[in-house]
Amino acid sequence: MEPIENDKPSPGLFLLMTAVYFASYFGLKYGVFGGAMPWYFNLVLIVVCLGLALWLRNRGK
């Protein structure tokens, strides 16, 4: 058996980051752009959310 890795994010943090991404996506798409959001905005949003997740992971160490 392998030891438990403590550097993995908790399920709660994963769900929180997923909720932040989808809330941002749908808020921008339907709230700001009226349903016609350019594809590159979604790419930027994914990169920002991944960067935030990595920053939070490194900050917790």
Side-chain angles (χ1 to χ4, degrees):
M1 292 181 62
E2 295 180 16
I4 296 174
E5 295 181 27
N6 291 330
D7 64 343
K8 288 186 177 181
S10 67
L13 180 61
F14 175 76
L15 291 175
L16 177 66
M17 293 304 294
T18 302
V20 166
Y21 169 76
F22 281 114
S24 300
Y25 175 77
F26 288 114
L28 281 172
K29 183 169 184 167
Y30 296 109
V32 177
F33 293 105
M37 186 170 75
W39 66 268
Y40 50 85
F41 272 47
N42 190 29
L43 181 65
V44 169
L45 184 60
I46 290 170
V47 169
V48 167
C49 284
L50 284 174
L52 181 61
L54 289 174
W55 177 73
L56 285 172
R57 179 180 170 195
N58 291 335
R59 187 171 176 236
K61 286 185 179 181

